[in-house]
Amino acid sequence: MVVDDDTAMCSFLQTFLSARGYSAITVSTVEEAVRRYDEGRPAAVILDIVMPGPLDGLDALALLKKIDRDVPIIILSGQGRTSTVVQAMKLGAADFVNKPFDDAELEQPLANALKHYRLTREVATLREQLEAQSNRTMLFGQSERMAEVRDLIDRVADTDVTVLIRGESGTGKELVARALCSSSLRRDKPFVKVNCAALPAELLESELFGFERGSFTGAIQHKPGKFEFANHGTMFLDEIGEMSCPLQAKLLQVLQDGEFSRIGGKHDVRVDVRIVAATNKNLEYAVADGQFREDLFFRLNVVCIKMPPLRERREDIPVLCDYFLKKYSVHYNKPYCQLSAETMALLQEYEWPGNIRELENLVKRTVVLGSESAMRKDLTHGVSLAAHHSTHPATGPSAPAKQVGPDPIESVPPPANFSLKDVSRLAARGAERDLISRMLQQTRWNRKEAADMLGISYKALLYKIKENGLDKAQ
């Protein structure tokens, strides 16, 4: 829409726009501009700032922005006063062009304004689609394995039974916990999440159960714990397998009696909390090794929901990709583009050691960069590694995926008193080095995940990486 009381300028701009493939309507008053805009909703407005009558161009700008705040409006003026420009920009003008102008001075602002308008409209549409497409749709997808998970959630959600969610890192265990809460009778009550691996045991205890004033150095005032914040609601204990044994005993008391004592407290605190726990560790092995209490395991494992890894639900990959493409196109204000058939084929062949979290990060990077090339490179490398392992399978836990650096035995010349025990020690070190190297490559150097797979602490893995010289091979 062109709004200008100069008929010659209207005629010129209509010809100018038609020559560039745009259809345009011209009006000569603010009142007519408001009426015609509301009827036709043009994609952009070129508006003269000086208009006859009671309403001028700034009034028109304000009125049009009330109808559609996203419409780009380019202001034309032969005056060019700084105060007028500033006021127009405050009211939401997209650009300002001084009269007289040549073609290029109007072409670029108009092209930029229309591009921004199209992107704004696309983002609004995607946002509506995302609101309609709930987290549950994104989580469950269309696979048979996830249909079983959905059915189990529906059956236990409205009870207060304790639920243990098991699965690899990145499979969506927290989304399941939130789905349980949103479908339960406690949906309007607090949902409190605590990551048991994120804090040392001493801090985790005060975080969960709180403390009394003066109970230790620095406890200058009473602090309630997460269990008190979650009263009448749901407590989600993520990475429950990382909880220390003394804390496990205190958690067991909450599960059995619904009460606990704060650090330094003289009286028990009663709470009504539903507990949902999650882990990527094999708790049966942890129980056998004495790292996890058997009685607590049985208390937590009343209902067990097992999350399948992404490689076992490949039919959900297109649905998940589309969801993440829309999500991050909206989040970063980027154009939405579907992935090519070639990239989708690579996504289906990839083994997904990081599961849905890895897929989400790949799609996020693709949206931000506006290119699939980086994703294809990572996927092609991952597929080629998987093909190599399928062609040359490991024969045991110490079979190396790749030899990094010198062999520990061959690199050390045996002295005269070299014993059989020394040989065994060096052989064990070599096997350990090869296994750590293979796990690091399998997890794409995600040290936390590699430590979990190896059954050692994160700090122990960092020490062994340095001890074996693997940090220099990354």
Side-chain angles (χ1 to χ4, degrees):
M1 174 183 283
V2 175
V3 186
D4 200 318
D5 61 315
D6 185 344
T7 55
M9 179 58 70
C10 285
S11 178
F12 165 75
L13 288 174
Q14 193 163 40
T15 304
F16 171 88
L17 293 168
S18 298
R20 287 155 181 80
Y22 302 117
S23 60
I25 55 174
T26 59
V27 296
S28 58
T29 66
V30 172
E31 293 80 5
E32 186 183 5
V34 172
R35 179 176 56 80
R36 296 284 297 277
Y37 181 85
D38 205 21
E39 293 172 359
R41 292 298 177 104
V45 177
I46 299 175
L47 172 65
D48 187 12
I49 202 71
V50 179
M51 297 289 293
L55 301 176
D56 62 8
L58 290 176
D59 295 321
L61 175 59
L63 290 170
L64 292 173
K65 281 293 182 179
K66 281 186 179 180
I67 299 172
D68 185 354
R69 66 178 183 179
D70 295 325
V71 61
I73 300 178
I74 299 172
I75 299 296
L76 301 180
S77 176
Q79 299 177 353
R81 290 199 301 266
T82 303
S83 59
T84 304
V85 175
V86 171
Q87 192 174 356
M89 291 304 177
K90 285 183 177 179
L91 289 171
D95 215 326
F96 195 98
V97 178
N98 282 315
K99 294 179 180 179
F101 54 86
D102 57 32
D103 290 359
E105 288 178 310
L106 183 58
E107 277 178 349
Q108 196 57 49
L110 182 59
N112 292 340
L114 288 170
K115 181 180 179 181
H116 178 75
Y117 181 72
R118 284 193 293 268
L119 183 57
T120 302
R121 282 286 186 257
E122 184 178 283
V123 167
T125 301
L126 291 176
R127 186 176 284 113
E128 290 175 3
Q129 293 175 2
L130 283 172
E131 290 173 356
Q133 187 178 9
S134 66
N135 277 340
R136 288 179 64 114
T137 303
M138 187 280 293
L139 170 66
F140 295 125
Q142 303 166 341
S143 64
E144 184 177 343
R145 294 286 301 276
M146 292 309 297
E148 296 172 1
V149 172
R150 180 171 57 246
D151 178 64
L152 190 53
I153 289 175
D154 290 340
R155 282 192 284 160
V156 304
D158 58 354
T159 70
D160 279 340
V161 67
T162 303
V163 177
L164 179 63
I165 308 168
R166 308 181 70 168
E168 298 177 9
S169 293
T171 51
K173 297 188 288 295
E174 183 178 343
L175 286 176
V176 170
R178 292 186 181 277
L180 281 166
C181 178
S182 64
S183 301
S184 72
L185 299 177
R186 300 173 184 255
R187 65 177 67 90
D188 297 324
K189 303 300 181 182
F191 177 90
V192 179
K193 174 192 172 183
V194 176
N195 189 324
C196 300
L199 295 170
E202 299 78 11
L203 292 180
L204 181 59
E205 182 178 6
S206 65
E207 187 75 7
L208 287 173
F209 304 109
F211 54 80
E212 297 290 352
R213 179 181 178 182
S215 56
F216 54 84
T217 303
I220 58 176
Q221 61 182 8
H222 156 75
K223 176 183 177 296
K226 295 292 188 184
F227 269 104
E228 291 175 78
F229 288 121
N231 194 25
H232 303 301
T234 303
M235 170 74 83
F236 175 50
L237 297 174
D238 199 9
E239 305 284 3
I240 189 70
E242 303 297 330
M243 184 178 285
S244 66
C245 287
L247 267 184
Q248 292 175 28
K250 203 163 183 178
L251 175 61
L252 182 63
Q253 181 188 6
V254 179
L255 285 166
Q256 289 177 335
D257 306 325
E259 59 184 29
F260 62 89
S261 60
R262 303 187 191 101
I263 298 174
K266 297 179 181 179
H267 306 287
D268 286 340
V269 178
R270 292 199 62 83
V271 289
D272 171 26
V273 176
R274 182 191 190 174
I275 293 179
V276 178
T279 183
N280 59 4
K281 294 184 69 173
N282 189 314
L283 291 186
E284 288 85 355
Y285 288 169
V287 169
D289 291 341
Q291 298 177 358
F292 201 85
R293 293 179 63 106
E294 185 177 33
D295 48 2
L296 177 60
F297 172 68
F298 290 136
R299 280 280 182 180
L300 292 172
N301 198 37
V302 178
V303 172
C304 178
I305 297 178
K306 294 183 179 179
M307 292 296 292
L310 187 55
R311 59 184 172 275
E312 294 179 9
R313 45 179 294 210
R314 296 182 187 274
E315 58 267 48
D316 291 335
I317 290 175
V319 176
L320 294 169
C321 279
D322 187 62
Y323 177 85
F324 291 133
L325 283 169
K326 291 175 180 176
K327 175 181 177 179
Y328 291 110
S329 294
V330 169
H331 185 78
Y332 294 112
N333 204 31
K334 295 284 187 178
Y336 166 74
C337 296
Q338 292 186 331
L339 298 177
S340 66
E342 293 81 5
T343 301
M344 189 58 68
L346 289 172
L347 289 167
Q348 291 287 356
E349 295 172 12
Y350 188 59
E351 285 301 301
W352 298 110
N355 292 295
I356 299 175
R357 186 179 295 120
E358 183 180 8
L359 173 64
E360 180 177 7
N361 289 333
L362 279 176
V363 174
K364 182 194 299 186
R365 183 174 60 181
T366 299
V367 171
V368 170
L369 298 179
S371 170
E372 299 178 14
S373 58
M375 177 190 280
R376 287 189 186 184
K377 182 178 179 181
D378 286 348
L379 293 172
T380 302
H381 179 65
V383 170
S384 64
L385 279 178
H388 173 77
H389 289 310
S390 64
T391 309
H392 305 88
T395 56
S398 62
K402 180 182 179 183
Q403 181 65 37
V404 181
D407 182 83
I409 297 180
E410 294 179 354
S411 63
V412 180
N417 60 347
F418 203 67
S419 67
L420 186 60
K421 185 180 291 185
D422 294 326
V423 174
S424 300
R425 178 176 55 81
L426 285 175
R429 182 176 175 182
E432 176 183 271
R433 188 175 193 272
D434 290 335
L435 179 58
I436 292 172
S437 174
R438 181 156 62 91
M439 289 301 179
L440 288 170
Q441 292 181 50
Q442 183 177 334
T443 60
R444 305 170 68 82
W445 278 82
N446 184 324
R447 295 168 179 81
K448 178 68 173 66
E449 188 174 346
D452 291 339
M453 294 174 67
L454 291 166
I456 59 177
S457 70
Y458 180 72
K459 287 186 177 179
L461 177 61
L462 294 181
Y463 174 81
K464 289 183 179 294
I465 289 174
K466 186 175 181 180
E467 182 184 44
N468 287 290
L470 293 170
D471 54 335
K472 301 173 183 177
Q474 186 181 6

